[in-house]
Amino acid sequence: MISDVKSKWNDIIAYIDSQDFVSGPVFRTFIKPLEVYKEEGDTVILSVDKEKQNAVLGVIKNNYTSFIEVAIEEVLGKRYSVDFIYKQDITVQVDNSSDSSDRSSIIKAQYPFLSSGNSFDNFVASDNNLMAYSASLAVAESPTSQVYNPLFLYSSPGLGKTHLMHSIARHIIMNNPELKVLYVTGEDFTNQVVEAIRNNKEKDSTATANLRSKFRDVDVLLIDDIQYIIGKEATQVEFFNTFNYLSDQNKQIVISSDKPPKDMKELDNRYKSRFVSGLPIDIQPPSYETNIAILRNIQEKQSVKLEEFVLDYIAKNINDNIRDLIGAHNKMVFVVSHFKKDLTLSEVEEALSDIIVSNKSNEITVEYIVKVVADHYNISEEDIYSNKRTEYIARPRHIVMYLSGLLTDLSTTNIGKILGNKTHGTVINGRDKIRELIKTDEKLKNEIDIIIKKINPNNN
């Protein structure tokens, strides 16, 4: 007997839609397609279409189960737990995984650059990345619909752009094998263009034409870290010719970058407008709750279980880079499995001291600020100490000057000496530029807040 849950399911769905639990796109993507399979005691089992929603079941479980349980209780006046089952597994309890396994083997052989660990199913969606996740999923499920073209994802390094890019490519290859999908990093694209130009001059007059054919004879093109292309004249021209060609042919393009198009100083305005004509979406740093969800998601697949206080320490102290979060987790798994199972907090702090810098043992210095800022903007420390005036180097250098004045007791003269013998006036000028910018540039202000937390994570 399905009881009142099935008969009232439309009312329950309507209740969820009427509340502020979730946004419209999230409701349509994750909640509305659910159906009641059966009730077992105080548990309601909802069915999920494996073909349409296989990639999002983990997201539904992790993020929306409690909302569904609340809605059921509000409508029926009775508390239920919610679980899920695939529709396809209800009537046919046999192993239908061979096609999927075969396809996965093909992907691994033909697309070795796609990480097998990057899929929609293991991407932890939360407030900081939900728009990017939903848009990426929409493109992956309907790659020929032109719903968002180009899709432009941007964020600081380590926040999940590549995970989403791989997830889009993998989902399309798995579900639309007839489509030609090409994923490439900006760095690799640049290298291929340079190599083709050189070969074209030296030994193969068709090299450039072959390269163009490779990148244009596709249905979906994904370019990861486009910033490596911007400013390199020949590569940039080649990319935008390809971009225009694919766009004219109504082919799907997905791009990622470490900054929004408007902040690409060396990019022509006409291309900035092309980038934002589709759907530009930023990914914000994860919250503590998201960090915990990511760590628990990883723990589900681990035989070695970390204590809750270890996960809590990692989640609280790494709040701007998921790669560092995962790296800290993996290191603690190694420590626990090979050396000591029962750890104290001080031992955890010591084990992670190369990843998480504690305020207790590290004085804030200009040199340390340089290290953190250089890492945040993915440039070398030498670049900051240098006299290079390129915008992507000058801005971080000015931030170092601003933060050195804010977080240390040194004079501007001494700060300048440490930063490669910069003058007192240069330091003041750099510091004042950032002071003025953060008054109106909310994104820069948020970036600097994140950097300060990195420099001094225990000062909340």
Side-chain angles (χ1 to χ4, degrees), residues 306-355:
L306 300 179
E307 292 186 68
E308 193 66 24
F309 85 90
V310 179
L311 301 180
D312 180 73
Y313 177 76
I314 295 172
K316 281 182 177 176
N317 288 280
I318 300 178
N319 50 21
D320 70 314
N321 191 308
I322 295 170
R323 284 195 287 266
D324 286 352
L325 189 82
I326 295 171
H329 168 273
N330 293 343
K331 183 167 186 180
M332 292 314 304
V333 167
F334 177 81
V335 170
V336 169
S337 60
H338 287 80
F339 298 101
K340 189 173 183 180
K341 295 190 181 300
D342 298 318
L343 294 167
T344 65
L345 178 58
S346 61
E347 287 172 329
V348 173
E349 291 175 345
E350 176 64 26
L352 296 177
S353 61
D354 58 336
I355 301 173

Side-chain angles (χ1 to χ4, degrees), residues 163-392:
H163 191 139
L164 287 175
M165 297 282 279
H166 285 198
S167 300
I168 293 169
R170 179 173 294 279
H171 189 85
I172 295 172
I173 294 165
M174 286 288 290
N175 295 280
N176 302 89
E178 76 282 0
L179 298 180
K180 291 184 179 180
V181 178
L182 179 59
Y183 166 95
V184 65
T185 65
E187 185 176 14
D188 190 39
F189 183 91
T190 300
N191 292 338
Q192 290 189 50
V193 170
V194 170
E195 186 68 16
I197 292 173
R198 188 179 70 179
N199 288 338
N200 205 68
K201 290 179 179 178
E202 296 178 358
K203 55 186 177 181
D204 183 0
S205 60
T206 65
T208 302
N210 291 339
L211 180 74
R212 288 171 181 162
S213 177
K214 172 183 177 180
F215 284 101
R216 298 181 190 186
D217 186 23
V218 297
D219 297 293
V220 181
L221 176 64
L222 302 101
I223 303 276
D224 203 358
D225 289 324
I226 193 78
Q227 68 269 13
Y228 287 105
I229 292 175
I230 306 306
K232 299 176 177 68
E233 186 174 352
T235 307
Q236 187 170 293
V237 168
E238 195 63 50
F239 168 73
F240 280 113
N241 286 339
T242 297
F243 178 96
N244 289 333
Y245 177 86
L246 292 176
S247 183
D248 290 343
Q249 297 296 314
N250 294 320
K251 304 299 185 181
Q252 179 66 51
I253 303 167
V254 183
I255 299 167
S256 83
S257 173
D258 64 349
K259 58 176 70 69
K262 67 181 179 63
D263 289 347
M264 295 179 175
K265 305 301 182 184
E266 298 177 68
L267 182 62
D268 191 289
N269 284 333
R270 57 181 172 155
Y271 292 122
K272 290 181 184 180
S273 65
R274 293 298 297 272
F275 280 165
V276 300
S277 65
L279 182 64
I281 298 181
D282 69 325
I283 303 174
Q284 294 295 322
S287 63
Y288 166 81
E289 290 77 14
T290 302
N291 283 344
I292 283 290
I294 292 170
L295 292 171
R296 287 177 180 163
N297 193 38
I298 299 170
Q299 281 277 284
E300 287 180 3
K301 304 174 182 66
Q302 293 280 343
S303 57
V304 177
K305 303 301 181 184
L306 300 179
E307 292 186 68
E308 193 66 24
F309 85 90
V310 179
L311 301 180
D312 180 73
Y313 177 76
I314 295 172
K316 281 182 177 176
N317 288 280
I318 300 178
N319 50 21
D320 70 314
N321 191 308
I322 295 170
R323 284 195 287 266
D324 286 352
L325 189 82
I326 295 171
H329 168 273
N330 293 343
K331 183 167 186 180
M332 292 314 304
V333 167
F334 177 81
V335 170
V336 169
S337 60
H338 287 80
F339 298 101
K340 189 173 183 180
K341 295 190 181 300
D342 298 318
L343 294 167
T344 65
L345 178 58
S346 61
E347 287 172 329
V348 173
E349 291 175 345
E350 176 64 26
L352 296 177
S353 61
D354 58 336
I355 301 173
I356 299 172
V357 181
S358 172
N359 214 25
K360 297 174 185 177
S361 58
N362 289 278
E363 178 189 358
I364 297 175
T365 63
V366 174
E367 291 86 352
Y368 182 60
I369 293 171
V370 169
K371 181 181 185 302
V372 174
V373 171
D375 180 71
H376 183 86
Y377 287 102
N378 198 27
I379 61 177
S380 70
E381 293 175 44
E382 289 74 18
D383 283 334
I384 291 179
Y385 289 114
S386 74
N387 293 317
K388 296 177 182 176
R389 297 186 178 181
T390 309
E391 175 67 19
Y392 79 93

